Amino acid sequence: MRLVLRGITKRFGSVVANDSISLTVEPGEIHCLLGENGAGKSTLMNVLYGLYKADEGEIELDGEVQHFTGPGDAMAAGIGMVHQHFMLIPVFTVAENVMLGNETTGFAGTLDLEAASARVTEISERFGFHVRPDAVVEDLPVGVQQRVEIIKALSRDAELLVFDEPTAVLTPQETDELMDIMRQLREAGKAIVFITHKLREVREVADRITVIRHGKVVGEADPKASNAELASMMVGRPVELVVHKDAPTLGEDALVVRDLRVVDVAGHTQVDGISFTIRAGEVLAVAGVQGNGQTELTEALLGLQDDVSGSITLDGVELVGRTTRKILDAGVGFIPEDRQVDGLVPGFTIAENLMLNRSFRSPFVKNGSLRLGALRAFAEKKLKEYDVRARDIDSLAANLSGGNQQKVVVARELSRDLRLLVAAQPTRGVDVGSIEFIHKQIVATRDSRIPVLVVSTELDEVVALADRIMVLYRGRVVGIVPADTPRETLGLMMTGERPKDLKDVVA
Amino acid sequence: MSTVTDQPAPDSGGLAPDTVVAPTRGGSRKLPVVLGVLTALLAVVLLRSSHAGSTTFQLAAESDFFALPDIVVPSGPTAWLMVVACLALTAEAVRRMLAHLRQPAWIPIAFALAWMVGFLSWAAADSSIRMVSLLGGAVALAVPLVFGALGGVLGERAGVVNIAIEGQLLLGAFAAAITASLTGSPWAGLLAAMAAGALVALILGLFAITYFVDQVIVGVVLNVLVVGLTNFLFRQVLTPNAEGLNAPDGFDRLPIPVLGDIPLIGPILFRQTPLVYVLYAVVALVAYALYRTRWGLRVRAVGEHPKAADTVGIKVNRTRYRTLLLAGAIAGAGGAYYTLVSVGQFNREMTGGAGYIALAAVIAGKWDPIRATLAALLFGFATNLQGVLSVIGSPVPSQFMLMLPYLVGILAVAGLVGRSRPPAADGVPYRQQ
């Protein structure tokens, strides 16, 4: 099926998310939409899928102009979408999810589950998916859930498949498998739109690349273009993709974690006997697929978990059992993984957000009263220093872009005397320009002889920042390896396998 | 860019990769503790006022195929025997807790039976208990609760918290009284009650679905509104014209031949009014339709993950409206039971909080129609027990017994029946972009 988008414009209030975007996708090709977070890729696809209504422009499929009033119409026209946040119902079985909205029924609307199961099995076998129709979706690994999404689209005879940031939640191995599936679908004559901001993936599978920036098409790129060329097109200026850092100057053992065990509220052991050491002036990066104990590990370090056993010492002082405030006062800086939930108060101004970790004492509080003058001066200074793009320090945090919000968090955490920095997903959902900036700040922190723990599900980020890499799987340490360990080995370790000849490195 | 951004998923509702599952904590302490407390309570009651004599459990009713003999037991020894049984069951629960085993459902059920037999043989010492009226009365009292609970289950499965069950019951009762009085047909009254319940649901839907108002608040306000409205109309309209407007022709008892003659079960379940038989059908239909039909699949999808339902072309809010209207109609039918069967005319605030008990049954029944029905029956039993015991003159103060249904309700909702998980999008309005 041939898709033509002509002059699509979509506005949200005064923000123009898509500005007259035109695009052609041919059958049997993988067409990449490359752009930064917030460039408008997902908005465009939601317009195509009938979730949003375009303000201007038209959608044409095989020469016919379409008027979608909802996703149902788009699906009927042969468009299938694999959403970034899976559109699956966790408590339903695979077959129920696949048939939903497209049910085969018998007498009086009775569900024909057998027919649905047969359909799942048929598609699953045709593409080698290994998905059981009667499995409950929430029990499946993320990679398999994604295949259920693909089966869902295929079972409706989709001819055009849209993959919206499909690799964000996958391990490197699962990503490779997904690439194979996409190639297979291309061979079967499907048209594929692949939305991503990851250059490596684009170069691997794309037949054609369209780059989008600030809601506009900035041009087509050659799949053979270099990473640097693609990145500069995406960002609009040359970007340094490599983090420049010198060899670490290591000091004493600063953070020592022994037999750390964390049990969550539901009684599940999320961190299962982890031991590691970070020396002053060193970055230990934690790699692993999301949900393998990273969140609980960082929260345990900050005293945010209730059921913690084992020992965490910072410069010889035990942290387990202390309150979060005591730990903060001991000099632990924390960039939480979800700035919207844990990092900022969205309804507070930038200035107010900048004092959250020092809300009880000097320099911003004296005798129980806020010292607004000191706070304003501090906020003005940090706004410039960290290049936060906002009208002024009284702008609400909620109104900032993801990158600028994260800069506020980083500015707050790095602006006092630290003994340890814990950075969880420091650049998630942040534009390339801000990533560059934040990475530099983290390296600078390490160079000032502060131990740094970085947690990231992006292997590129782990490799770029780490002096050593610790791989977590199901709450256990698979291994602690040098930063120059091959990606394949790391990817394998992220699935819980430990190569036989692997040697742990001690700093 | 409001809701859809290019950020990777933080956590999309339980879709995180399979987390480490290691049962480090044992089974819940809740069950053993509650069983222990109840056993102790029974023992204390027995110690303080030991009743001599014997207790008679009458099982027979008139016109059975054959009459079951009465069971006569010595009160004191039987009660103490049951205390021992309760102790044994508590011990088993404790053993399972310590061994980190799951608590199977038979333990609380067997415990409840033993406790009840022990309690009754003490409370009705030197007297007799007619099991048919104890259990049959429980069913009768539970009828509006079951209707209400089904209305609650349906609404919440579709993602709308139906707090307005109370209002639906009350307005249903009111509408049924007037309509049946005017037309002389209880069936017309039933239809009017369903329409009235649906009307309350429609208002709830308008605020909760279309205008995203907090559903709990709208529901409570609606309940208060209906109380005020019916009180006003009762005084101004019904009372002056009681003959013409508040003297409905109710449903008559309609024993089902054969089934009604089965000993014990027949008189309890099958010598009821047609409205009760309608209820049986509704329970079965809702349970079947919710799990086995396209309609049910879509209702559940809309209550769990509305956006996912939207992306496969299901009209989320239309589905919610339809389901909520149906839920209101079912709850309204429960209201008709008051004016057309149990009381026979409309009185101010005659539902007396039954809607809230029905809501408790929804939660205790884990949002499942059959389990919610069973929970509602349990509440009905608790209410009836209070009545039966005050008639035979039990030593328990009647004021305490009046608390019983609510006490049972709190215990049930507190999760004594195990972990329950509401529909993921329950109470969350769905906004389309």
Side-chain angles (χ1 to χ4, degrees):
Chain A
M1 195 161 63
R2 185 168 189 270
L3 165 76
V4 181
L5 297 177
R6 256 188 231 108
I8 300 282
T9 298
K10 173 72 188 170
R11 299 183 196 91
F12 295 101
S14 61
V15 181
V16 185
N18 288 161
D19 188 355
S20 187
I21 290 187
S22 298
L23 190 73
T24 307
V25 184
E26 304 284 348
E29 79 166 8
I30 299 178
H31 193 125
C32 268
L33 273 188
L34 183 65
E36 289 208 66
N37 292 308
K41 310 176 301 262
S42 289
T43 308
L44 183 66
M45 287 305 116
N46 283 326
V47 167
L48 170 63
Y49 198 57
L51 277 168
Y52 295 160
K53 207 161 165 42
D55 298 314
E56 287 160 36
E58 55 185 22
I59 300 167
E60 197 183 285
L61 288 175
D62 282 340
E64 275 180 48
V65 176
Q66 307 287 325
H67 300 281
F68 298 150
T69 56
D73 297 347
M75 241 162 17
I79 299 175
M81 187 128 165
V82 176
H83 297 265
Q84 181 183 1
H85 306 268
F86 300 145
M87 289 301 154
L88 298 172
I89 290 152
V91 296
F92 281 14
T93 65
V94 171
E96 283 174 331
N97 265 297
V98 168
M99 77 195 301
L100 182 66
N102 188 26
E103 302 89 346
T104 36
T105 51
F107 171 72
T110 308
L111 292 174
D112 189 350
L113 271 173
E114 276 173 35
S117 298
R119 189 103 175 96
V120 171
T121 312
E122 179 212 320
I123 297 171
S124 172
E125 277 173 7
R126 185 166 8 126
F127 292 98
F129 281 176
H130 308 294
V131 177
R132 269 187 26 243
D134 56 346
V136 175
V137 163
E138 65 184 345
D139 299 336
L140 296 174
V142 178
V144 180
Q145 291 186 8
Q146 191 167 57
R147 290 177 194 172
V148 177
E149 281 271 67
I150 300 173
I151 293 174
K152 219 167 99 180
L154 292 176
S155 77
R156 289 164 166 81
D157 301 316
E159 287 301 315
L160 173 78
L161 284 159
V162 180
F163 289 83
D164 187 0
E165 298 275 3
T167 60
V169 288
L170 301 183
T171 63
Q173 267 73 14
E174 285 174 326
T175 303
D176 288 343
E177 285 167 26
L178 177 68
M179 301 283 151
D180 283 338
I181 290 171
M182 281 169 43
R183 289 191 199 97
Q184 242 179 309
L185 292 169
R186 174 178 61 191
E187 299 318 313
K190 313 276 183 196
I192 293 176
V193 178
F194 176 25
I195 301 178
T196 186
H197 64 271
K198 295 187 185 171
L199 305 173
R200 180 191 316 276
E201 294 161 6
V202 173
R203 281 152 40 91
E204 195 174 323
V205 292
D207 297 313
R208 277 208 287 162
I209 302 172
T210 298
V211 183
I212 296 185
R213 188 169 72 229
H214 298 319
K216 289 189 188 133
V217 172
V218 291
E220 285 214 5
D222 188 345
K224 293 187 196 71
S226 72
N227 274 348
E229 282 165 356
L230 289 176
S232 62
M233 259 185 106
M234 195 159 95
V235 183
R237 61 176 172 83
V239 188
E240 276 188 51
L241 290 172
V242 190
V243 181
H244 289 290
K245 58 184 205 296
D246 303 321
T249 339
L250 297 180
E252 301 284 297
D253 285 358
L255 181 75
V256 182
V257 174
R258 287 285 164 261
D259 283 326
L260 187 69
R261 208 169 289 274
V262 182
V263 180
D264 69 11
V265 188
H268 299 152
T269 304
Q270 297 289 8
V271 174
D272 194 3
I274 286 182
S275 299
F276 63 90
T277 304
I278 310 181
R279 293 171 65 174
E282 181 192 35
V283 175
L284 178 73
V286 179
V289 181
Q290 193 178 340
N292 277 289
Q294 299 97 317
T295 308
E296 289 76 13
L297 168 64
T298 53
E299 290 188 353
L301 288 172
L302 264 294
L304 292 166
Q305 287 280 343
D306 289 330
D307 195 342
V308 177
S309 57
S311 140
I312 303 169
T313 53
L314 178 60
D315 298 331
V317 180
E318 180 65 49
L319 295 185
V320 172
R322 290 199 177 199
T323 64
T324 303
R325 202 174 130 197
K326 286 230 172 81
I327 292 173
L328 288 180
D329 289 348
V332 180
F334 181 42
I335 302 173
E337 61 179 19
D338 189 342
R339 60 179 162 273
Q340 309 272 11
V341 177
D342 299 317
L344 294 163
V345 180
F348 275 16
T349 64
I350 293 176
E352 285 166 335
N353 271 295
L354 280 172
M355 65 166 288
L356 286 181
N357 58 349
R358 284 183 284 182
S359 60
F360 293 95
R361 42 197 201 105
S362 67
F364 305 129
V365 179
K366 194 176 178 187
N367 301 332
S369 299
L370 292 183
R371 297 179 59 209
L372 291 174
L375 178 60
R376 296 194 71 85
F378 174 78
E380 299 281 5
K381 193 173 130 218
K382 292 297 160 187
L383 207 64
K384 284 202 194 68
E385 204 177 303
Y386 282 82
D387 189 29
V388 180
R389 310 270 169 87
R391 202 159 31 83
D392 53 38
I393 57 165
D394 295 321
S395 307
L396 294 185
N399 298 339
L400 302 179
S401 75
N404 285 312
Q405 287 183 341
Q406 192 72 348
K407 282 185 196 167
V408 172
V409 174
V410 173
R412 179 183 68 215
E413 297 303 324
L414 297 185
S415 296
R416 52 192 193 114
D417 285 338
L418 289 188
R419 312 287 291 273
L420 169 71
L421 174 65
V422 179
Q425 314 288 357
T427 60
R428 171 181 282 177
V430 164
D431 56 282
V432 175
S434 304
I435 291 178
E436 205 183 337
F437 180 84
I438 292 169
H439 281 176
K440 275 186 188 150
Q441 296 301 321
I442 290 175
V443 171
T445 306
R446 155 228 198 224
D447 289 341
S448 61
R449 318 221 18 161
I450 293 167
V452 179
L453 182 79
V454 171
V455 173
S456 179
T457 48
E458 300 264 348
L459 203 46
D460 288 324
E461 180 165 54
V462 167
V463 172
L465 291 174
D467 295 315
R468 283 183 303 148
I469 299 174
M470 174 164 83
V471 184
L472 287 189
Y473 180 72
R474 302 208 158 197
R476 294 209 174 96
V477 176
V478 182
I480 300 180
V481 295
D484 57 1
T485 307
R487 298 178 65 89
E488 297 72 48
T489 311
L490 291 173
L492 200 65
M493 289 170 73
M494 284 162 75
T495 63
E497 273 187 58
R498 190 187 157 98
K500 277 196 205 77
D501 51 346
L502 186 81
K503 283 201 182 68
D504 281 345
V505 285
V506 184
Chain B
M1 301 288 290
S2 52
T3 50
V4 179
T5 60
D6 287 350
Q7 294 174 9
D11 182 3
S12 24
L15 290 189
D18 46 341
T19 39
V20 191
V21 180
T24 47
R25 279 186 204 175
S28 165
R29 255 167 280 166
K30 229 173 338 192
L31 187 69
V33 168
V34 171
L35 297 194
V37 168
L38 286 176
T39 309
L41 202 69
L42 185 57
V44 167
V45 163
L46 292 184
L47 278 176
R48 286 191 48 118
S49 60
S50 180
H51 276 224
S54 57
T55 310
T56 311
F57 291 96
Q58 282 182 15
L59 300 182
E62 311 79 44
S63 75
D64 290 347
F65 286 137
F66 53 91
L68 291 173
D70 292 350
I71 299 174
V72 184
V73 293
S75 305
T78 311
W80 281 111
L81 187 69
M82 288 304 142
V83 170
V84 173
C86 286
L87 267 180
L89 286 163
T90 310
E92 171 68 8
V94 170
R95 185 187 73 79
R96 284 177 173 272
M97 176 189 75
L98 293 178
H100 302 307
L101 291 173
R102 249 175 50 86
Q103 303 283 4
W106 64 262
I107 291 186
I109 292 174
F111 182 93
L113 278 177
W115 199 91
M116 224 44 244
V117 170
F119 178 75
L120 285 177
S121 47
W122 167 75
D126 272 341
S127 170
S128 67
I129 288 188
R130 295 193 57 225
M131 294 308 283
V132 168
S133 62
L134 181 65
L135 296 176
V139 172
L141 284 171
V143 169
L145 297 180
V146 176
F147 272 117
L150 287 176
V153 167
L154 277 181
E156 302 211 10
R157 278 297 185 139
V160 183
V161 180
N162 192 2
I163 300 274
I165 299 171
E166 175 77 3
Q168 290 157 357
L169 286 173
L170 191 59
L171 199 65
F174 181 81
I178 291 192
T179 312
S181 304
L182 286 175
T183 60
S185 156
W187 292 103
L190 177 62
L191 283 181
M194 294 173 71
L199 176 70
V200 176
L202 179 68
I203 302 171
L204 174 67
L206 193 68
F207 283 103
I209 301 172
T210 307
Y211 294 114
F212 315 125
V213 182
D214 187 295
Q215 305 179 355
V216 174
I217 293 175
V218 179
V220 171
V221 168
L222 273 177
N223 289 342
V224 177
L225 175 73
V226 172
V227 167
L229 183 73
T230 52
N231 278 357
F232 170 73
L233 291 175
F234 177 69
R235 271 231 324 246
Q236 297 296 319
V237 182
L238 289 197
T239 313
N241 311 299
E243 285 296 301
L245 292 178
N246 198 9
D249 288 337
F251 285 106
D252 293 320
R253 235 169 238 285
L254 183 72
I256 299 181
V258 187
L259 285 179
D261 298 333
I262 302 171
L264 202 58
I265 296 172
I268 294 170
L269 294 180
F270 301 111
R271 291 186 200 169
Q272 302 277 7
T273 55
L275 188 50
V276 179
Y277 304 138
V278 168
L279 176 66
Y280 298 161
V282 171
V283 171
L285 270 177
V286 168
Y288 181 82
L290 200 53
Y291 295 116
R292 297 290 169 80
T293 67
R294 170 168 60 194
W295 171 81
L297 188 74
R298 293 184 171 192
V299 167
R300 285 184 289 137
V302 158
E304 288 287 345
H305 194 338
K307 187 149 192 210
D310 194 359
T311 58
V312 291
I314 295 170
K315 305 277 184 226
V316 174
N317 286 344
R318 193 186 294 173
T319 309
R320 285 187 166 177
Y321 262 114
R322 278 194 202 150
T323 314
L324 189 60
L325 286 183
L326 181 63
I330 290 176
Y337 187 80
Y338 289 99
T339 43
L340 301 182
V341 178
S342 61
V343 180
Q345 62 169 45
F346 184 82
N347 291 324
R348 309 166 45 135
E349 292 165 50
M350 67 188 308
T351 49
Y356 297 106
I357 293 288
L359 207 58
V362 172
I363 299 169
K366 302 179 184 181
W367 292 268
D368 173 87
I370 300 288
R371 287 192 190 143
T373 299
L374 293 177
L377 283 170
L378 177 68
F379 296 152
F381 177 79
T383 312
N384 193 42
L385 182 64
Q386 170 254 321
V388 168
L389 288 184
S390 64
V391 168
I392 60 173
S394 104
V396 189
S398 63
Q399 289 83 353
F400 178 82
M401 292 305 294
L402 281 174
M403 266 172 27
L404 197 60
Y406 306 98
L407 206 63
V408 173
I410 289 172
L411 284 178
V413 172
L416 198 61
V417 283
R419 245 179 105 79
S420 57
R421 182 162 78 170
D426 196 8
V428 185
Y430 182 65
R431 295 164 197 260
Q432 267 169 315
Q433 276 81 23

